[in-house]
Every structure is written in structure tokens, then in C-alpha cells.
Amino acid sequence: MTRHVDERLIPYLGGELAPDEAREVQGHAAECPACRKTLAELERLAADLARTVPPPIHWGAYRAELRDKLERRGQARPGLLHRWIWPPVSVALAAGLVAVLLYASLPGGNGRGPIPGDQAAIENSILASRLDLISRLELVQRLDLLEDLDVIGGLDRLPLRGEG
Amino acid sequence: MDSLDLSDEALCRRVAGQGARAFDLLVERYQERAYRIAWSILRNQEDAKDCSQEAFIRLHESARTFAGQAKFSTWFYRILVNCCLDHRRRGRGWRRLLAWRDRDGGETADSDPVEREPAPFVDPGDTLDEDRRMSRLWKAVEELSPQQRAAVLLSCREGLPTKEIAEVLSLSEATVRVHLHRALIRLRRRIGSQP
Ligand SMILES: [Zn+2]
């Protein structure tokens, strides 16, 4: 009789042996009562473990609860929501502010050129409202900040010290 | 291409790009497997539901770290098994405390109200002996080390090959083979030829 095959019984049951090795195990088990018994017991054990099923569950409720948990987790950890919501907001905000600043700093952009002051202010607010998200920001909503844009726009017209 | 036709790996990449539909599809594809695996490790319906849902949440949060080198299922099972083993580690403290209290009160562990319910068995021809055997079997499974338990359940219940179990448990294939061998030999000794 060939050597006992205990060590190879589990890979054999898992179908992980090469065909010739598997045949060797089968051949040995056919002749060896001890290995045959072990093989039968392991087979039954594996089958018993496999056939136990968990209590049934309602999958619709399961998914609804999962969505709830995901939402709550998102609220509890703003980091996650920030990854979704804030990058577009901050990009839009930055772009909006740059546009407003550029517009205001252009010659004539603040009412001292061909565009009258009131019209420039209206166009600034149209620009801001088109960006929509900006309207949600208290900073931009504060008029005194918008007034400061006039100062910024007029910086290049301020006389340098020593000049004049 | 319709999301329904996409591979798990492609869906996971869409989840990384905040694809809500892709996430729903992955949940639908994996919910039963996730719950079944969690239940076999934890042996409690509520815990299995919570842990499998937690695994989906972690999948959602870390989809962008899925490199696509491993199979999606392997990657997800790793998240899931870690959730379950973490859960067991956390639960062990208070359960031991309650078992201690009951021992003082002269009760056996079996009468402990927090002792896990015996699993319902589906075979309609179940006999009392069969129930006892299965109950003993699962009790013996619970006594295995966490890695042995996970290895044996993934192998016998989910039919995962050694190579994939090794990836799920972050072990070498040789170690998984040793775990499987020891676990099954131990289970066999515990219930072996008993009816
Ligand atoms: Zn033999």
C-alpha cells in the first residue's frame, strides 16, 4: 500500500490537487480503511458546514437601512460629504471671486470708464448670481466687501508715495 | 454600456467616481454572500446584518483605493472578514464578563441569555441527533482561532480556493493550508464519528 494521504485529503476535497495526485489519493483511500474513514468524515464535515443557512432577511429593508446608515455616516463625518460637495463649491467660489476681482480691476470695470458705476454693480451681481453658489456665501453677500472691490480696482490709480 | 453588464471591478471604479447606481448594483450582487459569510462567522442575525452593511459602507468609502489588481470579490471579502473579526474581538470582552457572572450563579454557558441562538437548520428531515450534531459542530467552529474559522468557512461554505483565502486573510497559501488542515482535523475530533 502507498503512504497515508491524510495531508492531502483536504486539498483533495477542495479540488486543488493535480489530476494525477488526486488519482493517487483516490487509489490509496480505496485500499486504506483509515484514510477512507478520515476522508468520509471530512467530506461530511464540509457538507454539514456548507448546508447550514442563515435566517432569512428582507433585502429591500436591508438596502433601505444601508442607505440610511450611509447617509447618517456622511452627515456625522463631514469629511466624506466634503469630498463630494465642497471641491466643486470651492472651485466655483475661487473662480467666481477671481472673475469678480478681474472684472473689477479692469480699466473701466468699476464705473470709471465707458461703463457707469451702477451698471457695473448690477453686472457684478448678475455674474455672482449666475455662479449661484456664491449667493449662499455670507462673505460675498456683505455689501461692504463688494465696496472694497472698488478700492482694489482703484489701487493702480492711487498716487505712489513721493509722486505728485 | 449599461451598468448591469459591467463587471464588479468596473462597477467599483464607478463607485469611486461617486456612481450611486454602481454602488446599488454591487450591493445587490453581493448582499446575500456578504450576509451569509458574516452570519457564518458571527452566528447572529443582527450582527451579521450590521457587519455586512458596515462592509458595504467601508467599500463605499474606500472604493478609490481598489487598485483593480485583485478581483473585486477578494478585495471586498477582505473588508467583510475584517469587519466580522473586529466585531468579534470587540464583543468578546462583555460576553466573557456575562459568562463569568452566570458561572457564579451556577448556570451553564448554554443557559446564558446572550449565548447565540442555535442556527435554524433547513433540512426538513432533521432529527434531534442531527440537531445536536450540528449544534456541536458550530460550537466547535466558534472555538477555532479567528483565522482558522474564517479559512474553514470560506473554503467549505463559499468554495473559495486556497489562493483566494490567502489574499482575503493576507496570509501565505502555505499558512492557509495549515489553518485548514488544523481546523478540520480539530472539528473532526470534536464531532468525528458521533451521530
Ligand atoms: Zn492511509
Side-chain angles (χ1 to χ4, degrees):
Chain A
M1 196 192 296
T2 51
R3 267 182 63 216
H4 287 305
V5 290
D6 335 33
E7 300 287 320
R8 285 185 288 169
L9 289 177
I10 292 164
Y12 169 75
L13 284 174
E16 297 199 337
L17 291 183
D20 53 335
E21 255 190 307
R23 272 194 298 275
E24 210 178 295
V25 169
Q26 281 169 343
H28 176 87
E31 293 174 19
C32 172
C35 285
R36 194 162 58 241
K37 183 166 180 274
T38 307
L39 182 62
E41 284 173 6
L42 288 174
E43 237 167 354
R44 184 170 179 203
L45 205 58
D48 281 347
L49 283 173
R51 77 186 164 91
T52 311
V53 295
I57 202 166
H58 186 284
W59 294 111
Y62 176 93
R63 286 191 299 272
E65 194 181 326
L66 172 59
R67 271 192 296 274
D68 258 18
K69 284 183 178 179
L70 204 57
E71 214 166 279
R72 263 184 282 140
R73 190 75 64 91
Q75 283 162 359
R77 293 216 313 234
L80 187 68
L81 269 188
H82 273 195
R83 285 212 299 271
W84 279 25
I85 294 168
W86 287 111
V89 170
S90 49
V91 167
L93 172 63
L97 282 178
V98 165
V100 169
L101 286 170
L102 275 176
Y103 183 74
S105 63
L106 284 173
N110 56 1
R112 289 185 182 82
I115 305 174
D118 285 351
Q119 197 183 330
I122 290 166
E123 288 189 8
N124 276 351
S125 58
I126 290 171
L127 178 64
S129 67
R130 274 189 193 149
L131 287 163
D132 187 41
L133 294 164
I134 284 179
S135 66
R136 288 154 61 180
L137 296 166
E138 286 179 9
L139 276 174
V140 182
Q141 282 170 338
R142 290 183 56 169
L143 290 173
D144 54 354
L145 244 179
L146 287 174
E147 280 166 15
D148 285 347
L149 292 176
D150 284 340
V151 177
I152 295 165
L155 280 178
D156 57 347
R157 292 193 175 82
L158 288 175
L160 288 172
R161 193 178 297 173
E163 255 184 29
Chain B
M1 186 192 269
D2 190 335
S3 300
L4 282 170
D5 302 327
L6 289 175
S7 67
D8 297 341
E9 289 75 16
L11 285 177
C12 187
R13 280 190 287 275
R14 286 200 179 183
V15 174
Q18 314 304 348
R21 172 82 182 126
F23 178 70
D24 289 346
L25 275 174
L26 275 178
V27 172
E28 279 171 35
R29 280 185 196 176
Y30 278 86
Q31 60 191 15
E32 287 183 47
R33 270 174 279 183
Y35 170 67
R36 191 174 60 222
I37 291 172
W39 180 82
S40 67
I41 295 175
L42 299 165
R43 303 283 294 152
N44 176 284
Q45 183 175 19
E46 271 304 302
D47 291 351
K49 192 182 60 144
D50 284 347
C51 275
S52 56
Q53 287 172 333
E54 176 62 28
F56 283 119
I57 292 172
R58 290 192 197 175
L59 146 68
H60 189 269
E61 288 173 351
S62 57
R64 64 182 59 203
T65 67
F66 173 64
Q69 284 152 346
K71 265 179 13 185
F72 169 80
S73 60
T74 308
W75 182 76
F76 177 64
Y77 290 157
R78 190 185 302 162
I79 295 176
L80 175 69
V81 169
N82 281 336
C83 281
C84 295
L85 297 183
D86 282 353
H87 184 89
R88 278 193 75 108
R89 268 194 289 276
R90 279 198 306 274
R92 204 180 289 155
W94 61 261
R95 211 170 291 127
R96 196 182 290 147
L97 206 69
L98 287 162
W100 181 262
R101 183 207 64 191
D102 286 339
R103 198 158 49 236
D104 281 353
E107 292 175 46
T108 64
D110 287 349
S111 63
D112 186 334
V114 297
E115 182 71 19
R116 280 141 207 274
E117 294 283 316
F121 306 125
V122 285
D123 187 345
D126 269 353
T127 61
L128 198 60
D129 277 349
E130 188 64 13
D131 276 0
R132 276 206 204 102
R133 178 189 151 86
M134 293 300 276
S135 183
R136 224 169 16 231
L137 170 59
W138 281 99
K139 227 175 178 74
V141 169
E142 292 199 32
E143 286 162 12
L144 296 173
S145 75
Q147 287 184 333
Q148 283 183 3
R149 184 169 55 240
V152 90
L153 294 171
L154 289 173
S155 171
C156 295
R157 285 177 66 81
E158 303 303 318
L160 259 59
T162 306
K163 185 175 183 298
E164 201 172 343
I165 298 172
E167 285 176 48
V168 169
L169 299 178
S170 304
L171 298 171
S172 71
E173 285 185 55
T175 306
V176 171
R177 272 193 285 273
V178 171
H179 278 326
L180 281 174
H181 186 81
R182 287 191 181 152
L184 283 164
I185 294 301
R186 192 169 166 186
L187 293 178
R188 177 181 160 242
R189 273 202 207 109
R190 289 294 307 275
I191 63 154
S193 43
Q194 293 167 346

